[in-house]
Amino acid sequence: MNLPNMQEAKRRDLNTHYRYEAPLVNNQFKDQKYFIKTYGCQMNVHDSEEIAGLLENLGYVPATSELDADLIILNTCAIRENAHDKVFGFLGRCKHLKKENKNLKLVLCGCMAQEKSVVDEIMEHHTYIDLVFGTHNIHELPNYLMNLKAGLNIEVKSNEGDVIEVGENFKRDSQYVAWINIMYGCDKFCTYCIVPYTRGKERSRKMEDVLREVNCLKEKGYKEVTLLGQNVNAYGHDLEDGTTFAKLLENVALTGMDRIRFVTSHPWNFTDEMIDIIAKYPNIMPYIHLPLQSGSDRILKLMGRRYTKAEYLALFHKMKERIPHVSITTDIIVGFPNESDADFEETLKVVDECQFDGAFTFIYSPREGTPAAKMTDSIPLAIKEERLHRLNEIVNKYSNMNNQKYLDKIVPVLLVGPSEKGQDKLYGYTDTMKLVNVQCDKALEGQIVPVKITEAKSFSLDGIVAEK
Ligand code: SAH
Ligand code: SF4
Ligand code: F3S
């Protein structure tokens, strides 16, 4: 069989700046239907908005589901093992659709495409896929589709190349809230994490490019932007011209955008200047996602997280003191190799002290190629599951407790779309990122309105529009 040469594909580096300015409508694709299935974090969600923009520039139109699509794109995540299983499960179903629609093209992209083992697996068992491309060459998708050869095409680059400005060519999911990449990649190499391998080294966009994007969104009527990076407080370091995340945040605040958010903050290197800027500008939302991962110094060291429990707590309390009514959420991993009962108890102690507004909790998943995957591990899965269950009960208790503080209060909510909780409701978010289902006139969609909270649950609030 004539298999594509992976090494050759990898050798082609990216070094061109690419900007799509005019639609590339091409009769080859006119009115063909595309469907994108997105897994993983906000980076992937936003990459899918870029992919949709590129496809519509080519003449594609959205399909209602994978069933009526001519092009199915799976934008994948590699963070944990179960993501892998879900993707191949979905692919198996798509393979059958190819029998009904001979023109159907199947594409796999995203973080899994950057894993050599996944590409090998595809080359061996899933040659019905038409195209695999990686995270560093999304902007090349139109070229790949126009030049697609019969059989499996693999376009994965190991070199991240320069930052590529794609202009305002996203097909954004919302008309009110927008994601903005401020940087790509991650240099932290936490020992359990695959992201530095799938997304490459840290590269910041120029401040002027980010500000241009914010201003453009403001002109279009957007009310909120979220600045995206795996580690936003490292923003600017690689530009080596004194640019910092604090400076960027301040300049974004000065554009007058109504609401500004950012994810994710690493507790290491979160400066006092950043805290002061967040506290100073009312349009920077008082919400910080600050992953803890573990409360045990021993485990934090093995994870390569670069902070101790005491340093995390000091930062947490400083934020709580200086930023009025800030809400703080976190990520926690249980069952890192050889995490003892005592280590786990340390994590619970930090959770009790911080009383987080919310937490994403995970069982450690070994990722091939990371240092932690080579560590021996004597802790049975059943114990890890039990720890996760205990942790979740405590996390949910605090999340509920924090939500109860909102009861009967009047808070500003940006209403972003129809609520699943009823025909007469919209859903939106408080400045502190609490989800609220609001009984109101549908015409209020896209506005920031005062909402009286009538009920507080563990994961959401209910409310009605308050009299002005
Ligand atoms: N850059 C962010 C995290 C991105 S990944 C940060 O450093 O905070 C999102 C979350 O997935 C991480 O915070 C971590 O809690 C979890 N995670 C990452 N790798 C994991 C693994 N191998 N097993 C289980 N959870 C993992
Ligand atoms: Fe992964 Fe650590 Fe980078 Fe976050 S900071 S993306 S956990 S390596
Ligand atoms: Fe997953 Fe890649 Fe994001 S591994 S969590 S989609 S950066």
Side-chain angles (χ1 to χ4, degrees), residues 79-80 192-193 230 264 266 291 293 305 331-333 362-365 367:
I79 203 87
R80 283 170 290 274
Y192 51 82
C193 183
Q230 284 299 349
T264 294
H266 194 298
Q293 313 300 5
R305 284 293 286 181
D331 289 347
I332 297 171
I333 297 175
F362 311 99
I363 290 188
Y364 165 73
S365 171
R367 306 312 292 129

Side-chain angles (χ1 to χ4, degrees), residues 160 183-190 195-196 200-203 230-231 234 237-238 306:
E160 52 274 333
M183 58 188 301
Y184 303 92
C186 181
D187 285 353
K188 297 292 162 290
F189 288 94
C190 301
V195 172
K201 65 177 186 322
E202 282 169 2
R203 289 145 290 144
Q230 284 299 349
N231 181 7
H237 290 186
D238 57 304
R306 304 167 190 227

Side-chain angles (χ1 to χ4, degrees), residues 13-128:
D13 288 343
L14 278 175
N15 47 24
T16 44
H17 283 255
Y18 223 96
R19 199 182 277 272
Y20 289 97
E21 265 148 13
L24 292 169
V25 175
N26 180 317
N27 281 336
Q28 191 186 347
F29 304 112
K30 199 165 167 350
D31 296 334
Q32 288 201 23
K33 293 182 181 161
Y34 73 92
F35 179 77
I36 308 175
K37 176 115 180 134
T38 308
Y39 301 83
C41 67
Q42 300 315 328
M43 307 258 156
N44 260 16
V45 171
H46 190 39
D47 285 350
S48 288
E49 292 184 329
E50 182 181 345
I51 292 168
L54 294 173
L55 294 176
E56 295 198 10
N57 257 357
L58 278 179
Y60 276 97
V61 293
T64 44
S65 78
E66 71 274 20
L67 299 176
D68 67 333
D70 302 298
L71 175 71
I72 301 177
I73 300 196
L74 279 82
N75 191 4
T76 63
C77 169
I79 203 87
R80 283 170 290 274
E81 185 63 28
N82 59 1
H84 175 279
D85 302 342
K86 278 191 213 153
V87 166
F88 281 100
F90 188 76
L91 264 174
R93 295 199 291 282
C94 295
K95 183 182 173 184
H96 292 294
L97 295 175
K98 272 196 142 186
K99 287 186 194 132
E100 286 151 38
N101 178 359
K102 293 274 178 265
N103 293 322
L104 174 62
K105 300 281 178 246
L106 283 181
V107 179
L108 184 142
C109 64
C111 289
M112 272 172 63
Q114 294 297 141
E115 289 185 279
K116 189 178 176 304
S117 59
V118 170
V119 175
D120 288 347
E121 185 179 349
I122 289 172
M123 280 165 43
E124 200 157 326
H125 302 294
H126 304 278
T127 46
Y128 55 88

Side-chain angles (χ1 to χ4, degrees), residues 256-276:
M257 175 57 74
D258 290 275
R259 288 181 158 204
I260 298 149
R261 303 186 185 278
F262 51 90
V263 278
T264 294
S265 307
H266 194 298
W268 184 73
N269 224 1
F270 201 106
T271 62
D272 282 4
E273 195 190 358
M274 289 173 202
I275 298 179
D276 291 342

